[in-house]
Amino acid sequence: MANQKQDEGATAKLTINDIARLAGVSKKTVSRVINRSPLLNRETRDKVEAIIRETGYVPNPQARALALGRNFLIGLIYDNPNAQMVLSMQRGILEALHGTEFELVIRPVDRGSNHVMDDIRGFVTRQRLFGVVVLPPMSENDALMRMLDEQGCRYVRMGSAMLDDPEHMVASNDREAVADAVRHLIAQGHRRIGLIAGPHGFRSARERREGFEMALAEAGISLPRSLVADGQYTFESGLSASESLFDLSPRPTAIFASNDEMAAGVLYAARLRGIAVPDELSIIGFDDTPVTTRVWPPLSTVRWPIVAMGRAAALKLIGTAIGEDAEVNEPSMFSSTLIRRGSVAPPAQT
Amino acid sequence: MANQKQDEGATAKLTINDIARLAGVSKKTVSRVINRSPLLNRETRDKVEAIIRETGYVPNPQARALALGRNFLIGLIYDNPNAQMVLSMQRGILEALHGTEFELVIRPVDRGSNHVMDDIRGFVTRQRLFGVVVLPPMSENDALMRMLDEQGCRYVRMGSAMLDDPEHMVASNDREAVADAVRHLIAQGHRRIGLIAGPHGFRSARERREGFEMALAEAGISLPRSLVADGQYTFESGLSASESLFDLSPRPTAIFASNDEMAAGVLYAARLRGIAVPDELSIIGFDDTPVTTRVWPPLSTVRWPIVAMGRAAALKLIGTAIGEDAEVNEPSMFSSTLIRRGSVAPPAQT
DNA sequence: CGGGTATAGGAAACCGGTGTCATGATCAAG
DNA sequence: CTTGATCATGACACCGGTTTCCTATACCCG
């Protein structure tokens, strides 16, 4: 019913036929110019290119996608655990896509909902996406990957140290990074070190916990269950989780929080209790989000190269587009570094 | 040269012809079912729908877009001044798009670069976007809007109190909101109130500044030039801008920072100088980003409904798609509220 | 100088949908 | 029973590109 062509108004869109007519060649020839076919007369190409340039012709991507059987859309699937991470990832991916004809379509989902799967299936099939990048914790869902395979949708998953399938994976070595951070605490003289763990079922939470335990074990320090508190990667959970650690006697002299949001919660809780940081309590977080430098004292943390990893993920995805043989040489494993700020000091008393 | 159909593998995609054959009807009839044409026999529709459901057929969006002459992609253009804002906006837009066939394509740009314009033109023309949402400060670029008009690309701009063109605009009333915040400070007894302004050329910066001046004028308080410091909406600029205010004698007893990042900078600077907040200095920010509750004391601030505004913007955009007459009733102006936290107290001495 | 081989370029089919218009069936009114 | 209107459906062109296949020309060589 709705009246279609009513808001025409704009510059009438040029078609390949117009260009062909203007250049005095067939549309096929124009198509060859657009697609850089090598078997073309030099003059013909120059002439057509000149016309394209001066008319500002842009081939219709829908028609191209239809004829070519593939489009130029990359999807980003995430269940936002961390605003900063998502945004950095978007940036990394877009950096890689810049200058190509690919665009980024974003898709936050709710992993708790019981139709996530259908939701994502609809997303990739409806738009016939070229491929998707999946962020943690969705990237740990193997059923999702099987579904994507079934749908013939390429994917790259981001995650923590999952190297089963390096071609479809970009990972950071959280375990080693956390171990380094904890070794740093130990070197400062800390022995009673608390852990605020991430949510169960998160690969990163497990990796970070293992790194924590590894460093303690190396130093021969035992880890009583009471020094481990469960968190949800949120500020509030960090705040409440630290309560139980503060109630301990003797109190831990240092706490490693599995991400910065929770570390900020620990800092806040310490302030509420009048515990001085770093003099009475050292804190290390993970992620290096901006909040670490906004609070006082600025938080020491572990930085992982999110943007670079996003870029690598996107390149892996579109690398296969250029040509199957164009070997993709993006690394699959990235390493993190400890950033020392003001939240770590030697313990007050030995 | 590249070999196309080699990684077929996936479930062979069904076409409308397959469905037509299976249902024993013509493709046109199937098309009618898909597009909910009202002039269809009940039985025929049920039969075709059953087949579509059991085969899991999804119409090819590229073909649809080609035939229909429009696609189902909304673009989001921004020059990220504020991660939280961008992310909330994405969320709001996606909420509105949820359940429709539209998808969101994001496009950060660099407004400093001298080919932003070409960049954006390429973006909207190449993908033939249905429409775009433009975030500040890009939304204040009138040349951009003219260009979008030329390209026949619908748009909605987000911004501060620009109501020249309500149909293409979603705005917040920053001036009044800031005036309220400053009135609050005045009511607490403050008379020497400093302002950290936003960058020149930002509409929001001007609106907020005007609100600040308005509230002071109402109360008959004069505003010496020295009480106004320039900032760039960044934490660091807030930090350094507050230095000059702190050097004043007498020092201001309160500071309004034009956004939360700068307010966090003020708080940080105060800590460095040993100025107690809120006892010796009150602070109010703007945006209500998470950082306000991570720092100590938590910052009082002005909250504006970003998600709701994003939703409204998207609805305005796609509202015109459903039918030209379907009047879009989304409001164009949203109002903000003062959130009182712990960074405001009466001045130490009168 | 003639026949074989590249090479540029064109005609037509095709990708998977939608619009237009024609057609046959059904039904109410005359 | 005929006629005109209404309804449900199908045939076919078309959206704007790409691909396949074929032809005409230029070039190579003996």
Side-chain angles (χ1 to χ4, degrees), chain B residues 25-26 29 32 40-41 44 66:
Chain B
V25 300
S26 76
T29 301
R32 287 207 178 90
L40 258 184
N41 189 324
T44 315
L66 178 58

PDB file of all heavy atoms in Angstrom, chain B residues 25-26 29 32 40-41 44 66, chain D residues 8-11 13 15-16 19:
ATOM      1  N   VAL B  25       2.702 -23.656  -5.405  1.00  0.00           N
ATOM      2  CA  VAL B  25       2.155 -22.349  -5.800  1.00  0.00           C
ATOM      3  C   VAL B  25       3.242 -21.590  -6.554  1.00  0.00           C
ATOM      4  O   VAL B  25       4.340 -22.094  -6.725  1.00  0.00           O
ATOM      5  CB  VAL B  25       1.718 -21.518  -4.571  1.00  0.00           C
ATOM      6  CG1 VAL B  25       0.636 -22.239  -3.785  1.00  0.00           C
ATOM      7  CG2 VAL B  25       2.919 -21.227  -3.680  1.00  0.00           C
ATOM      8  N   SER B  26       2.935 -20.395  -6.984  1.00  0.00           N
ATOM      9  CA  SER B  26       3.950 -19.622  -7.695  1.00  0.00           C
ATOM     10  C   SER B  26       4.806 -18.854  -6.697  1.00  0.00           C
ATOM     11  O   SER B  26       4.406 -18.639  -5.557  1.00  0.00           O
ATOM     12  CB  SER B  26       3.283 -18.641  -8.646  1.00  0.00           C
ATOM     13  OG  SER B  26       2.771 -17.558  -7.912  1.00  0.00           O
ATOM     14  N   THR B  29       3.161 -15.909  -5.025  1.00  0.00           N
ATOM     15  CA  THR B  29       2.297 -16.204  -3.896  1.00  0.00           C
ATOM     16  C   THR B  29       3.126 -16.310  -2.609  1.00  0.00           C
ATOM     17  O   THR B  29       2.747 -15.790  -1.563  1.00  0.00           O
ATOM     18  CB  THR B  29       1.520 -17.508  -4.140  1.00  0.00           C
ATOM     19  OG1 THR B  29       0.758 -17.352  -5.331  1.00  0.00           O
ATOM     20  CG2 THR B  29       0.610 -17.812  -2.982  1.00  0.00           C
ATOM     21  N   ARG B  32       3.927 -13.047  -1.486  1.00  0.00           N
ATOM     22  CA  ARG B  32       2.783 -12.413  -0.830  1.00  0.00           C
ATOM     23  C   ARG B  32       2.686 -12.853   0.623  1.00  0.00           C
ATOM     24  O   ARG B  32       2.403 -12.058   1.509  1.00  0.00           O
ATOM     25  CB  ARG B  32       1.491 -12.778  -1.568  1.00  0.00           C
ATOM     26  CG  ARG B  32       1.358 -12.069  -2.902  1.00  0.00           C
ATOM     27  CD  ARG B  32      -0.102 -11.905  -3.283  1.00  0.00           C
ATOM     28  NE  ARG B  32      -0.198 -11.185  -4.557  1.00  0.00           N
ATOM     29  CZ  ARG B  32      -0.219 -11.788  -5.744  1.00  0.00           C
ATOM     30  NH1 ARG B  32      -0.154 -13.096  -5.823  1.00  0.00           N
ATOM     31  NH2 ARG B  32      -0.311 -11.071  -6.848  1.00  0.00           N
ATOM     32  N   LEU B  40      -5.083 -12.806   0.280  1.00  0.00           N
ATOM     33  CA  LEU B  40      -4.605 -14.173   0.127  1.00  0.00           C
ATOM     34  C   LEU B  40      -5.611 -15.123   0.748  1.00  0.00           C
ATOM     35  O   LEU B  40      -6.179 -14.836   1.803  1.00  0.00           O
ATOM     36  CB  LEU B  40      -3.275 -14.328   0.867  1.00  0.00           C
ATOM     37  CG  LEU B  40      -2.000 -14.329   0.042  1.00  0.00           C
ATOM     38  CD1 LEU B  40      -0.825 -14.600   0.938  1.00  0.00           C
ATOM     39  CD2 LEU B  40      -2.093 -15.360  -1.058  1.00  0.00           C
ATOM     40  N   ASN B  41      -5.801 -16.227   0.105  1.00  0.00           N
ATOM     41  CA  ASN B  41      -6.654 -17.267   0.662  1.00  0.00           C
ATOM     42  C   ASN B  41      -6.052 -17.769   1.970  1.00  0.00           C
ATOM     43  O   ASN B  41      -4.848 -17.990   2.071  1.00  0.00           O
ATOM     44  CB  ASN B  41      -6.738 -18.407  -0.347  1.00  0.00           C
ATOM     45  CG  ASN B  41      -7.777 -19.425   0.081  1.00  0.00           C
ATOM     46  OD1 ASN B  41      -7.935 -19.685   1.265  1.00  0.00           O
ATOM     47  ND2 ASN B  41      -8.484 -19.964  -0.878  1.00  0.00           N
ATOM     48  N   THR B  44      -4.184 -21.188   1.592  1.00  0.00           N
ATOM     49  CA  THR B  44      -2.915 -21.059   0.878  1.00  0.00           C
ATOM     50  C   THR B  44      -1.853 -20.505   1.817  1.00  0.00           C
ATOM     51  O   THR B  44      -0.745 -21.033   1.913  1.00  0.00           O
ATOM     52  CB  THR B  44      -3.074 -20.091  -0.305  1.00  0.00           C
ATOM     53  OG1 THR B  44      -4.268 -20.393  -0.994  1.00  0.00           O
ATOM     54  CG2 THR B  44      -1.883 -20.192  -1.212  1.00  0.00           C
ATOM     55  N   LEU B  66      17.450  -5.251  -3.086  1.00  0.00           N
ATOM     56  CA  LEU B  66      17.602  -4.848  -4.481  1.00  0.00           C
ATOM     57  C   LEU B  66      16.243  -4.568  -5.122  1.00  0.00           C
ATOM     58  O   LEU B  66      16.027  -3.536  -5.737  1.00  0.00           O
ATOM     59  CB  LEU B  66      18.332  -5.952  -5.255  1.00  0.00           C
ATOM     60  CG  LEU B  66      18.520  -5.705  -6.744  1.00  0.00           C
ATOM     61  CD1 LEU B  66      19.293  -4.418  -6.965  1.00  0.00           C
ATOM     62  CD2 LEU B  66      19.246  -6.876  -7.382  1.00  0.00           C
TER      63      LEU B  66
ATOM     64  P    DA D   8      -9.229 -13.313  -1.359  1.00  0.00           P
ATOM     65  OP1  DA D   8      -9.604 -14.078  -0.153  1.00  0.00           O
ATOM     66  OP2  DA D   8      -8.484 -12.050  -1.238  1.00  0.00           O
ATOM     67  O5'  DA D   8      -8.459 -14.280  -2.334  1.00  0.00           O
ATOM     68  C5'  DA D   8      -9.054 -15.534  -2.685  1.00  0.00           C
ATOM     69  C4'  DA D   8      -8.209 -16.211  -3.737  1.00  0.00           C
ATOM     70  O4'  DA D   8      -8.266 -15.438  -4.957  1.00  0.00           O
ATOM     71  C3'  DA D   8      -6.723 -16.330  -3.376  1.00  0.00           C
ATOM     72  O3'  DA D   8      -6.346 -17.682  -3.553  1.00  0.00           O
ATOM     73  C2'  DA D   8      -6.019 -15.401  -4.343  1.00  0.00           C
ATOM     74  C1'  DA D   8      -6.978 -15.344  -5.516  1.00  0.00           C
ATOM     75  N9   DA D   8      -6.965 -14.099  -6.283  1.00  0.00           N
ATOM     76  C8   DA D   8      -7.038 -12.817  -5.792  1.00  0.00           C
ATOM     77  N7   DA D   8      -7.038 -11.886  -6.720  1.00  0.00           N
ATOM     78  C5   DA D   8      -6.949 -12.600  -7.907  1.00  0.00           C
ATOM     79  C6   DA D   8      -6.904 -12.208  -9.252  1.00  0.00           C
ATOM     80  N6   DA D   8      -6.958 -10.932  -9.649  1.00  0.00           N
ATOM     81  N1   DA D   8      -6.818 -13.160 -10.195  1.00  0.00           N
ATOM     82  C2   DA D   8      -6.783 -14.444  -9.798  1.00  0.00           C
ATOM     83  N3   DA D   8      -6.814 -14.943  -8.557  1.00  0.00           N
ATOM     84  C4   DA D   8      -6.903 -13.962  -7.662  1.00  0.00           C
ATOM     85  P    DT D   9      -4.808 -18.085  -3.222  1.00  0.00           P
ATOM     86  OP1  DT D   9      -4.854 -19.528  -2.916  1.00  0.00           O
ATOM     87  OP2  DT D   9      -4.220 -17.135  -2.291  1.00  0.00           O
ATOM     88  O5'  DT D   9      -4.117 -17.919  -4.629  1.00  0.00           O
ATOM     89  C5'  DT D   9      -4.532 -18.754  -5.713  1.00  0.00           C
ATOM     90  C4'  DT D   9      -3.894 -18.298  -6.991  1.00  0.00           C
ATOM     91  O4'  DT D   9      -4.221 -16.927  -7.281  1.00  0.00           O
ATOM     92  C3'  DT D   9      -2.363 -18.343  -7.007  1.00  0.00           C
ATOM     93  O3'  DT D   9      -1.987 -19.500  -7.722  1.00  0.00           O
ATOM     94  C2'  DT D   9      -1.955 -17.058  -7.749  1.00  0.00           C
ATOM     95  C1'  DT D   9      -3.277 -16.491  -8.232  1.00  0.00           C
ATOM     96  N1   DT D   9      -3.358 -15.012  -8.319  1.00  0.00           N
ATOM     97  C2   DT D   9      -3.420 -14.428  -9.555  1.00  0.00           C
ATOM     98  O2   DT D   9      -3.395 -15.061 -10.594  1.00  0.00           O
ATOM     99  N3   DT D   9      -3.501 -13.057  -9.547  1.00  0.00           N
ATOM    100  C4   DT D   9      -3.537 -12.243  -8.432  1.00  0.00           C
ATOM    101  O4   DT D   9      -3.619 -11.030  -8.551  1.00  0.00           O
ATOM    102  C5   DT D   9      -3.463 -12.921  -7.173  1.00  0.00           C
ATOM    103  C7   DT D   9      -3.498 -12.130  -5.903  1.00  0.00           C
ATOM    104  C6   DT D   9      -3.377 -14.269  -7.160  1.00  0.00           C
ATOM    105  P    DG D  10      -0.425 -19.861  -7.901  1.00  0.00           P
ATOM    106  OP1  DG D  10      -0.314 -21.332  -7.928  1.00  0.00           O
ATOM    107  OP2  DG D  10       0.364 -19.072  -6.938  1.00  0.00           O
ATOM    108  O5'  DG D  10      -0.135 -19.314  -9.370  1.00  0.00           O
ATOM    109  C5'  DG D  10      -0.995 -19.725 -10.439  1.00  0.00           C
ATOM    110  C4'  DG D  10      -0.624 -18.997 -11.716  1.00  0.00           C
ATOM    111  O4'  DG D  10      -0.975 -17.596 -11.609  1.00  0.00           O
ATOM    112  C3'  DG D  10       0.876 -19.037 -12.056  1.00  0.00           C
ATOM    113  O3'  DG D  10       1.021 -19.250 -13.461  1.00  0.00           O
ATOM    114  C2'  DG D  10       1.375 -17.648 -11.657  1.00  0.00           C
ATOM    115  C1'  DG D  10       0.145 -16.784 -11.934  1.00  0.00           C
ATOM    116  N9   DG D  10       0.068 -15.584 -11.118  1.00  0.00           N
ATOM    117  C8   DG D  10       0.102 -15.524  -9.743  1.00  0.00           C
ATOM    118  N7   DG D  10      -0.013 -14.302  -9.283  1.00  0.00           N
ATOM    119  C5   DG D  10      -0.118 -13.509 -10.422  1.00  0.00           C
ATOM    120  C6   DG D  10      -0.261 -12.107 -10.545  1.00  0.00           C
ATOM    121  O6   DG D  10      -0.329 -11.271  -9.656  1.00  0.00           O
ATOM    122  N1   DG D  10      -0.328 -11.722 -11.882  1.00  0.00           N
ATOM    123  C2   DG D  10      -0.268 -12.573 -12.954  1.00  0.00           C
ATOM    124  N2   DG D  10      -0.349 -12.015 -14.150  1.00  0.00           N
ATOM    125  N3   DG D  10      -0.139 -13.892 -12.844  1.00  0.00           N
ATOM    126  C4   DG D  10      -0.071 -14.283 -11.558  1.00  0.00           C
ATOM    127  P    DA D  11       2.437 -19.694 -14.021  1.00  0.00           P
ATOM    128  OP1  DA D  11       2.245 -20.999 -14.676  1.00  0.00           O
ATOM    129  OP2  DA D  11       3.456 -19.537 -12.958  1.00  0.00           O
ATOM    130  O5'  DA D  11       2.715 -18.588 -15.140  1.00  0.00           O
ATOM    131  C5'  DA D  11       1.642 -18.126 -15.978  1.00  0.00           C
ATOM    132  C4'  DA D  11       2.112 -16.980 -16.852  1.00  0.00           C
ATOM    133  O4'  DA D  11       1.983 -15.723 -16.120  1.00  0.00           O
ATOM    134  C3'  DA D  11       3.593 -17.033 -17.280  1.00  0.00           C
ATOM    135  O3'  DA D  11       3.713 -16.505 -18.593  1.00  0.00           O
ATOM    136  C2'  DA D  11       4.296 -16.176 -16.237  1.00  0.00           C
ATOM    137  C1'  DA D  11       3.240 -15.105 -15.950  1.00  0.00           C
ATOM    138  N9   DA D  11       3.291 -14.595 -14.576  1.00  0.00           N
ATOM    139  C8   DA D  11       3.458 -15.322 -13.439  1.00  0.00           C
ATOM    140  N7   DA D  11       3.427 -14.601 -12.339  1.00  0.00           N
ATOM    141  C5   DA D  11       3.224 -13.308 -12.799  1.00  0.00           C
ATOM    142  C6   DA D  11       3.099 -12.079 -12.147  1.00  0.00           C
ATOM    143  N6   DA D  11       3.155 -11.946 -10.808  1.00  0.00           N
ATOM    144  N1   DA D  11       2.909 -10.977 -12.899  1.00  0.00           N
ATOM    145  C2   DA D  11       2.846 -11.113 -14.232  1.00  0.00           C
ATOM    146  N3   DA D  11       2.953 -12.224 -14.959  1.00  0.00           N
ATOM    147  C4   DA D  11       3.147 -13.292 -14.177  1.00  0.00           C
ATOM    148  P    DA D  13       8.916 -11.289 -20.185  1.00  0.00           P
ATOM    149  OP1  DA D  13       8.770 -11.352 -21.652  1.00  0.00           O
ATOM    150  OP2  DA D  13       9.859 -12.202 -19.495  1.00  0.00           O
ATOM    151  O5'  DA D  13       9.282  -9.785 -19.781  1.00  0.00           O
ATOM    152  C5'  DA D  13       8.256  -8.779 -19.807  1.00  0.00           C
ATOM    153  C4'  DA D  13       8.527  -7.749 -18.730  1.00  0.00           C
ATOM    154  O4'  DA D  13       8.356  -8.354 -17.428  1.00  0.00           O
ATOM    155  C3'  DA D  13       9.946  -7.168 -18.754  1.00  0.00           C
ATOM    156  O3'  DA D  13       9.869  -5.781 -18.517  1.00  0.00           O
ATOM    157  C2'  DA D  13      10.645  -7.922 -17.627  1.00  0.00           C
ATOM    158  C1'  DA D  13       9.510  -8.108 -16.636  1.00  0.00           C
ATOM    159  N9   DA D  13       9.684  -9.231 -15.717  1.00  0.00           N
ATOM    160  C8   DA D  13      10.013 -10.517 -16.037  1.00  0.00           C
ATOM    161  N7   DA D  13      10.085 -11.315 -15.006  1.00  0.00           N
ATOM    162  C5   DA D  13       9.782 -10.491 -13.935  1.00  0.00           C
ATOM    163  C6   DA D  13       9.695 -10.728 -12.560  1.00  0.00           C
ATOM    164  N6   DA D  13       9.904 -11.921 -11.999  1.00  0.00           N
ATOM    165  N1   DA D  13       9.369  -9.685 -11.757  1.00  0.00           N
ATOM    166  C2   DA D  13       9.160  -8.497 -12.317  1.00  0.00           C
ATOM    167  N3   DA D  13       9.212  -8.148 -13.598  1.00  0.00           N
ATOM    168  C4   DA D  13       9.539  -9.208 -14.362  1.00  0.00           C
ATOM    169  P    DC D  15      14.627  -1.895 -14.148  1.00  0.00           P
ATOM    170  OP1  DC D  15      14.218  -0.511 -14.432  1.00  0.00           O
ATOM    171  OP2  DC D  15      15.568  -2.597 -15.046  1.00  0.00           O
ATOM    172  O5'  DC D  15      15.262  -1.942 -12.685  1.00  0.00           O
ATOM    173  C5'  DC D  15      14.504  -1.635 -11.522  1.00  0.00           C
ATOM    174  C4'  DC D  15      15.245  -2.194 -10.324  1.00  0.00           C
ATOM    175  O4'  DC D  15      14.922  -3.583 -10.189  1.00  0.00           O
ATOM    176  C3'  DC D  15      16.764  -2.124 -10.492  1.00  0.00           C
ATOM    177  O3'  DC D  15      17.268  -0.991  -9.818  1.00  0.00           O
ATOM    178  C2'  DC D  15      17.271  -3.405  -9.834  1.00  0.00           C
ATOM    179  C1'  DC D  15      16.027  -4.276  -9.649  1.00  0.00           C
ATOM    180  N1   DC D  15      16.089  -5.595 -10.344  1.00  0.00           N
ATOM    181  C2   DC D  15      15.912  -6.771  -9.612  1.00  0.00           C
ATOM    182  O2   DC D  15      15.731  -6.680  -8.395  1.00  0.00           O
ATOM    183  N3   DC D  15      15.952  -7.962 -10.257  1.00  0.00           N
ATOM    184  C4   DC D  15      16.160  -7.998 -11.574  1.00  0.00           C
ATOM    185  N4   DC D  15      16.187  -9.194 -12.161  1.00  0.00           N
ATOM    186  C5   DC D  15      16.333  -6.811 -12.334  1.00  0.00           C
ATOM    187  C6   DC D  15      16.294  -5.647 -11.684  1.00  0.00           C
ATOM    188  P    DG D  16      18.254  -0.030 -10.662  1.00  0.00           P
ATOM    189  OP1  DG D  16      18.336   1.224  -9.902  1.00  0.00           O
ATOM    190  OP2  DG D  16      17.856  -0.022 -12.077  1.00  0.00           O
ATOM    191  O5'  DG D  16      19.658  -0.777 -10.555  1.00  0.00           O
ATOM    192  C5'  DG D  16      20.238  -0.970  -9.276  1.00  0.00           C
ATOM    193  C4'  DG D  16      21.389  -1.940  -9.392  1.00  0.00           C
ATOM    194  O4'  DG D  16      20.877  -3.229  -9.774  1.00  0.00           O
ATOM    195  C3'  DG D  16      22.426  -1.580 -10.458  1.00  0.00           C
ATOM    196  O3'  DG D  16      23.703  -1.876  -9.935  1.00  0.00           O
ATOM    197  C2'  DG D  16      22.091  -2.517 -11.594  1.00  0.00           C
ATOM    198  C1'  DG D  16      21.691  -3.744 -10.802  1.00  0.00           C
ATOM    199  N9   DG D  16      20.933  -4.734 -11.541  1.00  0.00           N
ATOM    200  C8   DG D  16      20.120  -4.525 -12.620  1.00  0.00           C
ATOM    201  N7   DG D  16      19.568  -5.625 -13.065  1.00  0.00           N
ATOM    202  C5   DG D  16      20.053  -6.619 -12.236  1.00  0.00           C
ATOM    203  C6   DG D  16      19.819  -8.014 -12.235  1.00  0.00           C
ATOM    204  O6   DG D  16      19.094  -8.671 -12.985  1.00  0.00           O
ATOM    205  N1   DG D  16      20.507  -8.672 -11.223  1.00  0.00           N
ATOM    206  C2   DG D  16      21.335  -8.039 -10.325  1.00  0.00           C
ATOM    207  N2   DG D  16      21.919  -8.816  -9.409  1.00  0.00           N
ATOM    208  N3   DG D  16      21.562  -6.722 -10.304  1.00  0.00           N
ATOM    209  C4   DG D  16      20.895  -6.086 -11.291  1.00  0.00           C
ATOM    210  P    DT D  19      31.797 -12.693 -11.051  1.00  0.00           P
ATOM    211  OP1  DT D  19      32.335 -13.314  -9.839  1.00  0.00           O
ATOM    212  OP2  DT D  19      32.639 -11.763 -11.844  1.00  0.00           O
ATOM    213  O5'  DT D  19      31.291 -13.841 -12.030  1.00  0.00           O
ATOM    214  C5'  DT D  19      30.141 -14.618 -11.672  1.00  0.00           C
ATOM    215  C4'  DT D  19      29.646 -15.388 -12.871  1.00  0.00           C
ATOM    216  O4'  DT D  19      28.894 -14.508 -13.738  1.00  0.00           O
ATOM    217  C3'  DT D  19      30.776 -15.981 -13.736  1.00  0.00           C
ATOM    218  O3'  DT D  19      30.573 -17.379 -13.839  1.00  0.00           O
ATOM    219  C2'  DT D  19      30.630 -15.281 -15.090  1.00  0.00           C
ATOM    220  C1'  DT D  19      29.165 -14.833 -15.075  1.00  0.00           C
ATOM    221  N1   DT D  19      28.905 -13.616 -15.877  1.00  0.00           N
ATOM    222  C2   DT D  19      27.891 -13.630 -16.818  1.00  0.00           C
ATOM    223  O2   DT D  19      27.207 -14.588 -17.045  1.00  0.00           O
ATOM    224  N3   DT D  19      27.727 -12.445 -17.478  1.00  0.00           N
ATOM    225  C4   DT D  19      28.458 -11.271 -17.317  1.00  0.00           C
ATOM    226  O4   DT D  19      28.210 -10.275 -17.980  1.00  0.00           O
ATOM    227  C5   DT D  19      29.507 -11.343 -16.337  1.00  0.00           C
ATOM    228  C7   DT D  19      30.360 -10.133 -16.080  1.00  0.00           C
ATOM    229  C6   DT D  19      29.686 -12.503 -15.659  1.00  0.00           C
TER     230       DT D  19
END
